[in-house]
Amino acid sequence: MTVNGAALIPDPSGAAYWPARSTLIVADLHFEKGSSYAPRGVFLPPYDTRATPRRLRGAIETYRPQTVISLGDAFHDRGSEARMEREDAALLTALTERSDWIWIAGNHDPAPPARFKGRVCETYADGPLTFRHEPTPGPARGEVAGHLHPCAKVRREGRSLRRRCFATDGARLILPSFGAYTGGLNVRDEAYAGMFGALEAWMIGREAVYRVGEGLVGD
């Protein structure tokens, strides 16, 4: 996958790796989303924070990045840090100590917890790429963002398949959500209107990521 001249590797975990900068990019981790529903009487299994950093650890062990960029909404709300189990917080602490972390501020976490190592930025630019949480309207060459949780659906031979995806046209990239309890917004939704030229959806499978052209992506 090439974004504004930068060669990126889309990983089945939902992360993207930029070899030229030894940088791993993830979006929308949403730690403690499950536990956030309890005060409203909705009781979800509170294990999403355990699953998400373990999957993140796997990607970090695969690529061994010097830098990790989290594209905002790493923490589901301002109380997420207090609700984290000790073991989960310890794992996240260990991961942030292995690489240089950049926390992009999101709409759920405009001020990520200071206890975890890393820099907090509204946007971060490196060479041909600019990283932010929410995509800007219209064309934005070199932008890498999250927020919209892209997914795609393909139909073939009377069957349909829906998966999280990396959405790109070669000029910009929107990453899928990485968090265990996060949903997805179809790339055909009007929220993406005007953002892409010839859209490609890199759909996430069990073992690999599959490139799907615009003609095969359905509503």
Side-chain angles (χ1 to χ4, degrees):
M1 173 193 300
T2 301
V3 181
N4 199 28
L8 305 179
I9 299 172
D11 189 80
S13 66
Y17 182 60
W18 188 8
R21 295 292 198 273
S22 186
T23 296
L24 189 74
I25 311 153
V26 293
D28 299 279
L29 300 166
H30 282 275
F31 294 131
E32 295 301 322
K33 181 175 182 178
S35 65
S36 74
Y37 286 92
R40 289 171 275 172
V42 179
F43 298 99
L44 297 174
Y47 305 123
D48 54 312
T49 298
R50 183 144 304 175
T52 299
R54 287 182 178 181
R55 188 153 45 90
L56 182 55
R57 178 178 61 188
I60 289 173
E61 290 177 347
T62 296
Y63 296 103
R64 300 187 181 277
Q66 294 180 6
T67 303
V68 175
I69 301 176
S70 171
L71 296 175
D73 287 1
F75 300 86
H76 188 68
D77 55 39
R78 292 178 184 269
S80 296
E81 178 188 8
R83 298 194 306 272
M84 291 181 75
E85 295 288 341
R86 182 179 300 177
E87 179 182 345
D88 301 331
L91 174 55
L92 183 57
T93 296
L95 293 178
T96 61
E97 290 175 347
R98 292 176 61 171
S99 306
D100 176 24
W101 276 64
I102 298 171
W103 302 98
I104 303 296
N107 55 296
H108 282 261
D109 58 351
R115 70 179 286 188
F116 301 110
K117 182 183 175 184
R119 293 175 280 164
V120 178
C121 306
E122 289 292 329
T123 63
Y124 175 73
D126 187 359
L129 302 182
T130 298
F131 303 90
R132 58 172 46 92
H133 174 59
E134 188 169 351
T136 54
R141 180 166 290 277
E143 181 181 85
V144 179
H147 183 64
L148 292 178
H149 302 197
C151 69
K153 180 189 290 185
V154 295
R155 294 189 180 95
R156 295 194 68 180
E157 300 177 352
R159 301 177 61 184
S160 65
L161 180 68
R162 184 178 187 271
R163 291 285 188 271
R164 294 180 302 138
C165 73
F166 299 83
T168 185
D169 60 356
R172 77 189 311 166
L173 170 66
I174 302 179
L175 268 74
S177 58
F178 197 92
Y181 277 175
T182 51
L185 181 66
N186 193 297
V187 292
R188 292 298 193 192
D189 189 273
E190 62 181 11
Y192 299 93
M195 290 187 180
F196 297 108
L199 173 68
E200 292 180 352
W202 292 67
M203 297 178 67
I204 296 175
R206 292 181 181 232
E207 304 291 338
V209 179
Y210 301 93
R211 178 183 179 184
V212 179
E214 187 169 13
L216 293 176
V217 178
D219 296 326

